[in-house]
Every structure is written in structure tokens, then in C-alpha cells.
Amino acid sequence: MPDAPTSWCYKIVNSFAHDREAFTQGLVFEDGVLFEGTGLPGRSQLRKVELQTGNVLQKHKLPDEFFGEGVTIFKDRIIQLTYQSNIGFVYDKNSFNLLREFHYPTEGWGITHNGKYLIMSDGTPMLYFLDPETFEQVNRMMVFDQDKPVWGLNELEYVEGQIYANVWPTERIVRIEPETCKVAGWINMEGLLNPGDRTGAEDVLNGIAYDTASGRLFVTGKCWSKLFEIKLIATK
């Protein structure tokens, strides 16, 4: 049997304001700002957000029939998935102008990239690797924790050679080796949002962004009032 994955917990380094109306489905940090995809029919948006204040600097509203999902940035383009419409959108990173649409046969949940391929989740244990120019599937692999498939793979972020994934509907993040899709570790995120910051309208933990320039890791949740910078601490 393979070695058991490493376990991690977290320490909060900083907290920032986050729009309670943002049903966070995708999160990316680049050029000193956050790019956020939000969900729910009639409320789905692509946003550029100021980290320090949570202010929305730029936004694009999706047509009402679409339920927005994960986002990633590849070169000068933003790619955004939708939940059950089998359609993804490609935008100019600076203007948010829609450049093209693409199609996929599964649901769309999370998306990131490793510099070569887009990596997409659909809520199952499967990860899909797509050509970033044609959006054709070039590979797919199932994520296993030892001999058990990991269901609920949601928002994705590529962090220092590993794929981090929110696991719906838990308070855990899984760390995945992209070459094998074996689980390398679990991050226990329980208790991140203080009970005093809850209104009852919050949904699950969702949203991981990594600042490659400084090594900062950010996390939040759907309709949370705060976004957190955290530091990981190995517990095993």
C-alpha cells in the first residue's frame, strides 16, 4: 500500500474584506490583484478585486442562464467555466472582452493550469487535461488517496508543482501530484471562518489563490465576508 499522505493545518497570516454577495467559484492572484469568478444564475460574474479592500475594480456579468464556475489565467487570457451548460468562456485579461467560447462534455467545476495544460475538475474524482489553444482533452486521470478515489474535486490552484483542490462540501483541501494524480497531502481548514463572522448565508469553503511572486496563499468561501492569507503547518 502507498505511504499515507501528509497532513497539514493552517495559521492565519492576514484577513481581508470579501464581498458577502460573491458566491465564489474560482480565484486567481496575478498582477497584484485577485481575479474571481462567481456563481448562481443571474448573479454570475467575472471580477477583478483589490486584495486590501475587497473592492471590485472591474466586472463582467454572465448572461442570466449561466452558472459561473472556476477561473484561471493563461498568458493574456482568462478562462471561465460554467456549471451545467457545457460551455466555457475565454476573455481578454485586461479588457474582459469575450474572445471565444469552447465546449466540454462534463460539468464544469474548477480550473487551473500547469503552464502547459489546462486542468479541469467536474465534481467527480477525475481531472481533465486540456490543450490551452484548442481546448481539446489530451488526458484525464482519476485522483486516488491510496486506493480510494477522491470525490467532490472543486476549485483548483496549481501551487509549486502540485494541484490544490477544494473538496466539496468539506472543509479540507487536497494536494495532488499532477503526474500521477495521487494524493500527496490533506489540509484541514476547519474553523477558518470565525462563528462571529457568520450570518447564516455562507456556503462552503471554496477559492484558492497563490501569489507566485511572494509565495502567499489565499483562501475564502462562497458568500464569506473575509478572505484569508494562510501559512501551512505540517502535522504529520
Side-chain angles (χ1 to χ4, degrees):
M1 181 176 290
D3 293 337
T6 303
S7 297
W8 304 77
C9 62
Y10 66 90
K11 175 183 177 182
I12 296 174
V13 178
N14 283 303
S15 64
F16 306 94
H18 182 252
D19 182 7
R20 290 181 185 270
E21 297 299 311
F23 196 78
T24 305
Q25 300 289 71
L27 198 66
V28 182
F29 186 89
E30 191 167 302
D31 300 331
V33 294
L34 292 160
F35 293 83
E36 184 172 20
T38 70
L40 299 177
R43 289 173 48 185
S44 297
Q45 295 183 351
L46 172 66
R47 299 174 163 194
K48 182 189 291 185
V49 179
E50 187 174 51
L51 172 65
Q52 296 295 332
T53 64
N55 291 337
V56 178
L57 304 175
Q58 187 177 349
K59 63 183 176 181
H60 166 81
K61 186 179 183 299
L62 275 66
D64 286 352
E65 66 266 27
F66 292 111
F67 191 125
E69 283 282 349
V71 298
T72 194
I73 297 174
F74 190 88
K75 297 181 179 179
D76 59 352
R77 298 171 297 159
I78 301 172
I79 296 111
Q80 184 175 28
L81 302 178
T82 61
Y83 178 31
Q84 294 179 320
S85 301
N86 310 112
I87 294 174
F89 300 110
V90 183
Y91 308 95
D92 178 88
K93 188 180 83 169
N94 296 312
S95 67
F96 284 12
N97 288 336
L98 181 64
L99 301 177
R100 62 165 291 184
E101 299 177 0
F102 65 99
H103 297 264
Y104 45 88
T106 66
E107 293 184 354
W109 285 42
I111 190 167
T112 188
H113 71 85
N114 62 3
K116 185 177 181 180
Y117 298 118
L118 302 175
I119 306 167
M120 174 179 150
S121 67
D122 65 353
T124 72
M126 198 71 73
L127 290 179
Y128 304 87
F129 295 77
L130 311 181
D131 183 291
E133 302 301 329
T134 66
F135 299 96
E136 294 296 321
Q137 184 184 128
V138 296
N139 195 13
R140 65 177 186 175
M141 299 176 71
M142 188 172 287
V143 175
F144 281 93
D145 181 354
Q146 300 185 80
D147 59 348
K148 296 179 180 178
V150 180
W151 286 85
L153 298 176
N154 199 359
E155 215 270 313
L156 306 177
E157 182 78 359
Y158 195 77
V159 180
E160 296 181 353
Q162 291 184 336
I163 303 165
Y164 286 28
N166 287 114
V167 178
W168 182 86
T170 74
E171 294 185 278
R172 296 201 299 169
I173 294 171
V174 63
R175 296 172 58 161
I176 303 161
E177 297 290 355
E179 295 82 9
T180 62
C181 279
K182 301 299 184 186
V183 170
W186 289 93
I187 307 168
N188 182 356
M189 300 300 302
E190 289 182 3
L192 181 60
L193 190 64
N194 190 296
D197 294 320
R198 292 185 176 274
T199 65
E202 294 82 10
D203 208 307
V204 297
L205 179 78
N206 204 46
I208 309 167
Y210 183 64
D211 179 1
T212 56
S214 66
R216 293 184 295 175
L217 184 63
F218 304 102
V219 293
T220 190
K222 303 178 185 188
C223 301
W224 286 22
S225 63
K226 290 185 177 179
L227 176 142
F228 300 92
E229 177 190 346
I230 61 170
K231 179 180 179 181
L232 300 184
I233 301 166
T235 57
K236 185 177 108 176

